Amino acid sequence: MSELVMPNDTNPQNNLMGGNMLRWMDIACAICAGKHCAKPVVTASVDNVAFGSPIRNGEVVTLEATVTRAFNTSLEVYVQATAATMQGMNPRRTHHAYFTFVALDKDNGSPVPVPEVVPLSEIEEQRFEAALRRRELRLVLAGRMKPANAANLKELFG
Ligand SMILES: CC(C)(COP(=O)(O)OP(=O)(O)OC[C@H]1O[C@@H](n2cnc3c(N)ncnc32)[C@H](O)[C@@H]1OP(=O)(O)O)[C@@H](O)C(=O)NCCC(=O)NCCS
């Protein structure tokens, strides 16, 4: 998904506002998650957001979202933003983040199981494996998992 940064999207420094980037990321990830699940999805959380470098008014932002791992009723989506001029000059990676979505039953709105993800490439394998640790960390920080139950995090930190 691509967006052209317009004056109304920018801050007083003439750069894209972070909130607008998050909005575009949310949309790109929701499309990705919705396609994977073929169900309505809602954003449950956002983490590891990195605002790497500013994007100027008039530049083109391209967002690429991929499902890294499906859990039970939730799934994690990685989104990477790149920016370049309208003429394709100065292309660079600028922002990235992880979004968690929950699939909902279209009739009663309650969470429903999501289809699994099969990683194919090396980078997909790496993100798939690390997704368990990110999930535990976000659930612990959200107060939804006891640290004692975060087995993958314990493995990492000893
Ligand atoms: C997301 C939501 C559906 C979860 O509902 P809930 O009653 O907590 O449901 P559950 O306890 O069954 O959890 C459902 C899933 O959400 C995940 N989840 C809930 N809160 C989370 C959080 N802060 N971070 C990551 N995952 C979370 C749970 O881990 C679970 O996933 P799993 O089944 O894969 O383990 C509910 O909180 C909600 O509707 N939030 C508002 C969503 C919204 O308005 N988003 C913005 C507009 S799209």
Side-chain angles (χ1 to χ4, degrees), residues 41-45 71-74 100 102 104 111 135 138-139 142 144:
V41 293
V42 287
T43 315
S45 73
F71 304 111
N72 304 310
T73 63
S74 67
T100 301
V102 176
L104 303 178
R135 167 183 164 84
R138 72 173 64 95
L139 292 178
R144 298 184 65 100

Side-chain angles (χ1 to χ4, degrees), residues 58-132:
E59 288 196 303
V60 177
V61 177
T62 300
L63 296 123
E64 208 180 315
T66 48
V67 178
T68 59
R69 188 159 184 151
F71 304 111
N72 304 310
T73 63
S74 67
L75 71 171
E76 184 192 72
V77 182
Y78 175 72
V79 60
Q80 166 79 60
T82 54
T85 68
M86 286 263 275
Q87 294 73 35
M89 306 301 284
N90 193 22
R92 61 210 186 272
R93 291 179 174 187
T94 58
H95 302 56
H96 61 91
Y98 289 92
F99 282 65
T100 301
F101 286 84
V102 176
L104 303 178
D105 181 277
K106 71 177 171 44
D107 296 321
N108 64 21
S110 57
V112 287
V114 294
E116 68 171 327
V117 169
V118 180
L120 297 175
S121 67
E122 198 178 328
I123 184 75
E124 285 174 358
E125 282 280 359
Q126 285 168 6
R127 288 190 186 134
F128 182 87
E129 287 303 322
L132 282 184

